[in-house]
Amino acid sequence: MTGTAPAPFTADDYRARMERAAREAADAGLAGLLVAPGPDLVWLTGYAPTAATERLTLLVLAAGRDPALVVPALEAPDAAKAAGAPVLTLRDWIDGKDPYAVTAALLDDRGRFGISDSAWAMHLLALQKVLPATSYTSLTESLPMLRAVKDAAELELMAAAGAAADRVFEEIRQVPFRGRRETEVGAELAALLRRFGHSQVDFTIVASGPNGANPHHEVGDRVIEHGDMVVLDFGGLKDGYGSDTSRTVHVGEPTDEERRVHDLVREAQEAGFRAVRPGVACQEVDRAARAVIADAGYGANFIHRTGHGIGVTTHEPPYMIEGEERPLVPGMCFSVEPGVYLPGRFGVRIEDIVTVTEDGGRRLNDTTRELVIVD
């Protein structure tokens, strides 16, 4: 796929993210943040080690202190090339030395720290042994909204990822389905995602006929038949930001019931989208979509939350689910994806990524939500 490459994030971008993270940690009553290799480290510094190993790599952030990256000496040259490295102090350590002692020197020995969910237990336990008076809480629990609100540059990348996923659907709807295995169509989806700029494919769900009643079926060896409803759900990362879209197609003409259920899910998806606006609690998006399905008598067949956040990972906070009272904020991005699942028969799901605007919401997926007939 050709096109203009997006402008890379700069050291100043990463500095601003790290400063904000440190402020939010202090506001949450934390002494700082400890960030292991994973999506948080990439988002905060632009650094992704070639492999996460038993050697400790840890970003240390605390309000009023310069950010420091504890890194194995043999990986320090790569870390120094990261876009955020100019605003970091690298604290390297060599094999045979104690990396936890290096880290401990950067920490309040009685502090409570947020630690990224991807941190290895062996590293956390070793830190606790060196600093027994410290305590820790996961970043998802302490700062769940750290990456939730996207800036203008991030929103452009999210929109581009959504547009690429839309192109994938427009291509896949033209291919033959009947007589092919789900695995074959799934492989074609993956190839199309890469063709349209994705560097990482996270999932390709092709759930035909009765398999469609399993929301996370992905792909299997079932041969797709005439008369099948087929749930397609696919996405991954393009230029570091996620796509995720679902459409349900039908092989040949649908029955009246199949069309009715599809229309119901489409109406529910529209209701969820229309509920999006700043200040509204996340759970209201779920309630709006769920009410449509429940009122039609299919409430027991909608068996998952209405949506999940998306950004540098394809599933992250916030979640559109009953009990989540956190208000929507402009710049948040998340899925709106109601579904109806009839065991042993078929399923329907329709999903768009939506971002909150100043006065409502904007879809980042624009392919038709009508029932598409395929061969």
Coordinates of all heavy atoms in Angstrom, one line a residue, residues 118-151:
S118 N 2.1 -5.6 32.4 CA 3.0 -6.5 31.7 C 4.3 -6.8 32.5 O 5.1 -7.6 32.0 CB 3.3 -6.0 30.3 OG 3.9 -4.7 30.4
A119 N 4.5 -6.2 33.7 CA 5.7 -6.5 34.4 C 5.7 -8.0 34.9 O 4.7 -8.5 35.3 CB 5.8 -5.6 35.7
W120 N 6.9 -8.6 34.8 CA 7.0 -9.9 35.2 C 7.0 -10.0 36.8 O 7.5 -9.2 37.5 CB 8.4 -10.5 34.8 CG 8.4 -10.8 33.3 CD1 7.6 -10.4 32.3 CD2 9.4 -11.7 32.7 NE1 8.0 -10.9 31.1 CE2 9.0 -11.7 31.3 CE3 10.4 -12.5 33.1 CZ2 9.8 -12.4 30.4 CZ3 11.2 -13.2 32.2 CH2 10.8 -13.2 30.8
A121 N 6.4 -11.1 37.3 CA 6.3 -11.3 38.7 C 7.7 -11.4 39.3 O 7.9 -10.9 40.5 CB 5.5 -12.5 39.0
M122 N 8.6 -12.0 38.7 CA 10.0 -12.2 39.2 C 10.6 -10.8 39.5 O 11.4 -10.6 40.5 CB 10.8 -13.0 38.3 CG 11.1 -12.4 36.9 SD 12.2 -13.5 35.9 CE 13.8 -13.1 36.7
H123 N 10.4 -9.8 38.6 CA 10.9 -8.5 38.8 C 10.3 -7.8 40.0 O 10.9 -7.1 40.8 CB 10.8 -7.7 37.5 CG 11.6 -8.2 36.4 ND1 12.9 -8.7 36.5 CD2 11.3 -8.4 35.1 CE1 13.3 -9.2 35.3 NE2 12.4 -9.0 34.4
L124 N 8.9 -7.8 40.0 CA 8.2 -7.2 41.1 C 8.6 -7.8 42.5 O 8.9 -7.1 43.4 CB 6.7 -7.3 40.9 CG 5.8 -6.7 42.0 CD1 6.1 -5.3 42.3 CD2 4.3 -6.9 41.6
L125 N 8.7 -9.1 42.5 CA 9.0 -9.7 43.8 C 10.5 -9.4 44.2 O 10.7 -9.2 45.4 CB 8.9 -11.3 43.7 CG 7.4 -11.7 43.5 CD1 7.4 -13.2 43.1 CD2 6.6 -11.5 44.8
A126 N 11.4 -9.3 43.2 CA 12.7 -8.9 43.6 C 12.8 -7.5 44.1 O 13.6 -7.2 45.0 CB 13.6 -9.1 42.3
L127 N 12.0 -6.6 43.5 CA 12.0 -5.2 44.0 C 11.4 -5.2 45.4 O 11.9 -4.4 46.3 CB 11.1 -4.3 43.1 CG 11.8 -3.7 41.9 CD1 10.8 -3.0 41.0 CD2 12.9 -2.8 42.3
Q128 N 10.4 -5.9 45.7 CA 9.8 -6.0 47.0 C 10.8 -6.5 48.1 O 10.8 -6.1 49.2 CB 8.6 -6.8 47.0 CG 7.4 -6.2 46.4 CD 6.2 -7.1 46.3 OE1 6.3 -8.3 46.0 NE2 5.0 -6.5 46.7
K129 N 11.7 -7.4 47.6 CA 12.7 -8.0 48.5 C 13.7 -6.9 48.9 O 14.2 -6.8 50.0 CB 13.4 -9.2 47.9 CG 14.3 -9.9 48.8 CD 14.8 -11.2 48.1 CE 15.8 -11.9 49.0 NZ 16.3 -13.2 48.3
V130 N 14.1 -6.1 47.9 CA 15.1 -5.0 48.1 C 14.5 -3.9 48.9 O 15.2 -3.3 49.8 CB 15.7 -4.5 46.8 CG1 16.6 -3.4 47.0 CG2 16.4 -5.7 46.1
L131 N 13.2 -3.6 48.6 CA 12.5 -2.4 49.3 C 11.3 -3.0 49.9 O 10.2 -2.8 49.4 CB 12.2 -1.4 48.2 CG 13.4 -0.7 47.5 CD1 12.8 0.2 46.4 CD2 14.2 0.1 48.5
P132 N 11.4 -3.6 51.1 CA 10.2 -4.3 51.7 C 9.1 -3.4 52.1 O 8.0 -3.8 52.3 CB 10.8 -5.1 52.9 CG 12.1 -4.4 53.1 CD 12.6 -3.9 51.8
A133 N 9.4 -2.1 52.3 CA 8.4 -1.2 52.8 C 7.6 -0.5 51.6 O 6.6 0.2 51.9 CB 9.0 -0.1 53.6
T134 N 7.9 -0.9 50.4 CA 7.2 -0.3 49.2 C 6.0 -1.2 49.0 O 5.9 -2.3 49.4 CB 8.1 -0.3 48.0 OG1 8.6 -1.6 47.7 CG2 9.2 0.7 48.1
S135 N 5.0 -0.6 48.2 CA 3.8 -1.4 47.8 C 3.5 -1.0 46.4 O 4.0 0.0 45.9 CB 2.6 -1.1 48.7 OG 2.3 0.3 48.7
Y136 N 2.7 -1.8 45.7 CA 2.5 -1.6 44.3 C 1.0 -1.9 43.9 O 0.3 -2.6 44.6 CB 3.3 -2.6 43.5 CG 4.8 -2.5 43.9 CD1 5.3 -3.1 45.0 CD2 5.6 -1.6 43.1 CE1 6.7 -3.0 45.3 CE2 6.9 -1.5 43.5 CZ 7.5 -2.1 44.6 OH 8.8 -1.9 44.9
T137 N 0.6 -1.2 42.9 CA -0.8 -1.4 42.3 C -0.7 -1.4 40.8 O 0.2 -0.7 40.2 CB -1.7 -0.3 42.8 OG1 -3.0 -0.5 42.2 CG2 -1.3 1.1 42.4
S138 N -1.5 -2.1 40.1 CA -1.4 -2.2 38.7 C -1.8 -0.9 38.0 O -2.7 -0.1 38.6 CB -2.3 -3.3 38.1 OG -3.7 -2.9 38.1
L139 N -1.2 -0.5 36.9 CA -1.6 0.7 36.2 C -3.0 0.7 35.7 O -3.7 1.7 35.7 CB -0.7 0.9 34.9 CG 0.7 1.4 35.2 CD1 1.4 1.8 33.9 CD2 0.7 2.6 36.1
T140 N -3.6 -0.5 35.3 CA -5.0 -0.6 34.9 C -5.9 -0.2 36.1 O -6.9 0.5 35.9 CB -5.3 -2.0 34.4 OG1 -4.6 -2.2 33.2 CG2 -6.8 -2.1 34.2
E141 N -5.5 -0.5 37.3 CA -6.3 -0.2 38.5 C -6.1 1.3 38.9 O -7.0 2.0 39.2 CB -6.0 -1.1 39.6 CG -6.8 -0.8 40.9 CD -6.5 -1.8 42.0 OE1 -5.9 -2.9 41.7 OE2 -6.8 -1.5 43.2
S142 N -4.8 1.7 38.9 CA -4.5 3.0 39.4 C -4.7 4.2 38.4 O -5.1 5.3 38.8 CB -3.1 3.1 40.0 OG -2.2 2.7 39.0
L143 N -4.3 3.9 37.1 CA -4.4 5.0 36.1 C -5.0 4.4 34.8 O -4.4 4.4 33.8 CB -3.0 5.6 35.8 CG -2.3 6.3 36.9 CD1 -1.0 6.8 36.4 CD2 -3.2 7.5 37.4
P144 N -6.3 3.9 34.9 CA -6.8 3.2 33.8 C -7.0 4.1 32.5 O -7.1 3.6 31.4 CB -8.2 2.7 34.3 CG -8.5 3.6 35.4 CD -7.2 4.0 36.0
M145 N -7.1 5.4 32.7 CA -7.3 6.3 31.6 C -6.0 6.9 31.1 O -6.1 7.9 30.3 CB -8.3 7.4 32.0 CG -9.7 7.0 32.4 SD -10.6 6.2 31.0 CE -10.5 4.5 31.4
L146 N -4.9 6.4 31.5 CA -3.6 7.0 31.1 C -3.5 7.3 29.6 O -3.1 8.3 29.1 CB -2.5 6.2 31.6 CG -1.0 6.7 31.3 CD1 -0.8 8.0 31.9 CD2 0.0 5.6 31.7
R147 N -3.9 6.3 28.8 CA -3.8 6.4 27.3 C -5.1 6.6 26.6 O -5.2 6.6 25.4 CB -3.1 5.1 26.7 CG -1.8 4.7 27.3 CD -1.1 3.6 26.5 NE -2.0 2.5 26.1 CZ -2.0 1.3 26.7 NH1 -1.2 1.0 27.7 NH2 -2.8 0.4 26.2
A148 N -6.2 6.8 27.4 CA -7.5 6.8 26.9 C -7.8 8.0 26.0 O -8.5 7.8 24.9 CB -8.6 6.7 28.0
V149 N -7.4 9.1 26.3 CA -7.7 10.3 25.6 C -6.6 10.6 24.5 O -5.5 10.9 24.9 CB -7.9 11.6 26.5 CG1 -8.2 12.8 25.7 CG2 -9.0 11.3 27.5
K150 N -7.0 10.5 23.3 CA -6.0 10.7 22.2 C -5.8 12.1 21.8 O -6.8 12.8 21.8 CB -6.4 9.8 21.0 CG -6.0 8.4 21.1 CD -6.7 7.6 22.1 CE -6.3 6.1 22.1 NZ -6.9 5.4 23.2
D151 N -4.6 12.5 21.4 CA -4.4 13.9 20.9 C -4.7 13.9 19.4 O -5.0 12.8 18.8 CB -3.0 14.4 21.3 CG -1.9 13.6 20.6 OD1 -2.1 12.9 19.6 OD2 -0.8 13.7 21.2

